[in-house]
Amino acid sequence: DGFDLELLHKVRAAVAVPVIASGGAGAADHFPPAVDAGANAVLAASIFHFGEVSIGEVKDALAAAGHEVRR
């Protein structure tokens, strides 16, 4: 259902270290909101292992939302 955005907002407000969002990603469009919520990085595993989403699709979704991605 996507990353826990409420938790990301709270963690981002409470810490001064980089925040990595992990857990909950099920689609490429789940990643941009996590960055918008304050994640410095996002990660996922099973959606890539099972071929549900490609890394390229995630990068495209992030870029379309205006986030910088490495190509």
Side-chain angles (χ1 to χ4, degrees):
D1 293 332
F3 296 98
D4 187 337
L5 302 179
E6 182 180 344
L7 179 61
L8 284 170
H9 281 290
K10 289 179 180 179
V11 170
R12 174 74 297 159
V15 301
V17 297
V19 174
I20 301 171
S22 176
D29 64 351
H30 290 162
F31 291 80
V35 177
D36 293 337
N40 297 96
V42 289
L43 71 89
S46 62
I47 63 170
F48 301 128
H49 294 294
F50 296 112
E52 297 170 21
V53 176
S54 72
I55 293 170
E57 289 172 308
V58 171
K59 288 185 174 193
D60 289 346
L62 287 164
H67 300 292
E68 184 177 344
V69 296
R70 291 186 213 170
R71 296 285 179 172

